[in-house]
Every structure is written in structure tokens, then in C-alpha cells.
Amino acid sequence: MILVLLGPPGAGKGTQAKLLAAEYGIPHISTGDMFRDHKARGTELGKKVQAIMDSGGLVTDDITNEMVRDRLGRDDVAKGFILDGYPRTTAQAEFLEQLLARAGRKIDRALSYEVPVEMVVERISGRRSCPKCGAVYHVSQNPPKQTGYCDRDGAGLVQRDDDKPENVKKRMEEYAAKTAPLKAFYAGRGLVSDVEGVGTPEGILAATKTVLGPR
Ligand code: AMP
Ligand code: ZN
């Protein structure tokens, strides 16, 4: 099963992708996580994308597509995978389609998480994550047991640079201009299902499973 998750930053795609990956036993592939990992490790690629990511802009299609091509060359994608934060432009969507076609595969569904814009801003501004294990919290909706520290490993939680208010606006603009049109792209292929993205993570997971039908 190959799924693409659509929706604005803060729509809860990452949370749902993790839950779905566990549910179906297939990998969660987040280009944002992959770029953050490169940044944290200080790789060549990480240095190249650092400034653009921190400002809330999009990394170039060539760099992003190349990284995804590499990732989809690994064995663990054989049964399927969940894409979160990719594709983000029409050029990426076309690249992905061709890459899959060459392997005789195609996307099964593009899930579009529908969330009001005020809620998205509230989710992003309260989001905090663990630099050590990647766990994601929210200051009021999903707080850790001890304020500011990860439940799993006690590391101090941080706010992503691109989640800071001055950069959120830029990300929303990039989303509206470049990524929102992907819904029409996939609708044209009969692949889009809307999912109501408001509620608890478990409730939204249940709505997602209903949309996907029995597996
Ligand atoms: P995310 O965690 O998905 O919000 O991604 C964080 C940042 O990584 C984005 O704001 C972009 O700078 C970069 N990024 C992630 N995925 C992509 C993509 N598919 N295309 C371009 N840039 C991306
Ligand atoms: Zn942690």
C-alpha cells in the first residue's frame, strides 16, 4: 500500500503517518525528518539545505527528488510506504509518478487532511520536539509529563526553527502557492480522499482507516 499524505503544515500528517505505519507495518517516509537528520549530522546535504529550511522555504526539487529516489531504493519499501511531506510541488509529484511507474508501482491513495487554518497555526506554535528521539509534543494538547522534557529519554524539548512565528507565515505561503495544487493533481487521477483532521490522534486514525476501507 502506497499512501501520500496531503495537508498544510500542522495538519497532523506526521502524527497520522507514524500511527498508520505502525498499523500497517510499512515505513513512514518523511522528507522533513530526513532533512532534519542531515542537518543534525552536519552532512554535505544538511549544510546545503539548512538556511532554506530554517527560513520556512522549500528545498529544491532536484535535491529532494534525489533523496527520495535513494530512499525508495531500499528493501523495506517492498510492501508499501507512507509519504509525509512529499511530494510538495507538481514537479515532485510527476517525478514520483514516473519513479514508481518504472518499478511497476503506483500510489493507492492520497489522503487530504482537512483542518481549519486557525487550528493549524495553534498546532504549529505549540509544537515541541525531542532532538534525541524525534518524539513530538504539544504544549497544551499533548504535553510531556514534565514540562519541557521528553517522556522517553528526558532530553530537553526544542521548538523547530521553522515553527517559530516569523517562519510559519512563509511556510503557509509556500504551501498555498506550491503544495495546495497537489490535491487537484491527485483528484484528477481519482486518488484523493478527504479526512477530517480535527480531533484526537486516535479519532483521526479511525477516520483514516474508515476512508481506506478493509485491508
Ligand atoms: P516538514 O517537517 O515536512 O514540515 O518539513 C520541514 C522543512 O523541510 C520544510 O519546511 C522544507 O524546508 C523542507 N522539506 C521537507 N519536505 C520537502 C519537500 N518535499 N520539498 C521541499 N522541501 C521540503
Ligand atoms: Zn526523546
Side-chain angles (χ1 to χ4, degrees):
M1 180 168 50
I2 300 178
L3 299 177
V4 167
L5 306 194
L6 301 174
K13 299 187 298 294
T15 303
Q16 289 304 308
K18 287 190 184 93
L19 294 171
L20 288 165
E23 183 83 24
Y24 296 115
I26 54 180
H28 164 208
I29 300 178
S30 157
T31 44
D33 284 350
M34 291 165 79
F35 284 133
R36 276 186 289 279
D37 180 58
H38 275 283
K39 255 179 68 179
R41 288 188 290 124
T43 67
E44 237 6 80
L45 178 61
K47 285 178 200 143
K48 224 189 246 177
V49 301
Q50 180 145 14
I52 185 86
M53 270 184 84
D54 289 351
S55 75
L58 291 184
V59 176
T60 64
D61 289 333
D62 284 352
I63 290 179
T64 309
N65 286 338
E66 196 48 49
M67 185 176 72
V68 169
R69 187 215 308 269
D70 253 25
R71 179 64 186 85
L72 295 185
R74 278 168 45 188
D75 295 339
D76 65 344
V77 301
K79 280 201 312 174
F81 51 89
I82 298 165
L83 288 171
D84 159 22
Y86 180 91
R88 249 180 166 97
T89 64
T90 304
Q92 292 178 13
E94 284 166 348
F95 176 88
L96 174 66
E97 196 167 60
Q98 283 159 24
L99 186 68
L100 291 175
R102 277 199 294 273
R105 309 183 78 177
K106 59 184 181 52
I107 291 164
D108 292 287
R109 202 75 69 96
L111 297 165
S112 177
Y113 286 89
E114 304 291 322
V115 182
V117 65
E118 317 78 66
M119 197 167 288
V120 158
V121 172
E122 149 72 16
R123 280 189 188 168
I124 294 181
S125 53
R127 178 155 65 185
R128 298 290 182 276
S129 56
C130 174
K132 202 162 165 192
C133 75
V136 182
Y137 300 88
H138 188 281
V139 291
S140 58
Q141 288 156 23
N142 176 30
K145 292 195 181 73
Q146 197 194 343
T147 305
Y149 296 94
C150 182
D151 289 346
R152 293 193 207 157
D153 50 39
L157 301 180
V158 295
Q159 182 173 41
R160 281 165 44 178
D161 281 326
D162 59 347
D163 279 350
K164 292 180 177 156
E166 61 275 24
N167 295 326
V168 170
K169 187 164 170 280
K170 165 92 170 169
R171 285 167 72 205
M172 289 303 179
E173 286 164 3
E174 290 280 64
Y175 173 77
K178 298 177 182 164
T179 309
L182 291 183
K183 189 172 174 185
F185 177 94
Y186 287 117
R189 286 153 171 74
L191 293 175
V192 173
S193 297
D194 281 1
V195 182
E196 168 82 44
V198 179
T200 62
E202 294 71 26
I204 300 167
L205 175 66
T208 304
K209 286 166 67 185
T210 302
V211 157
L212 289 174
R215 292 276 145 184

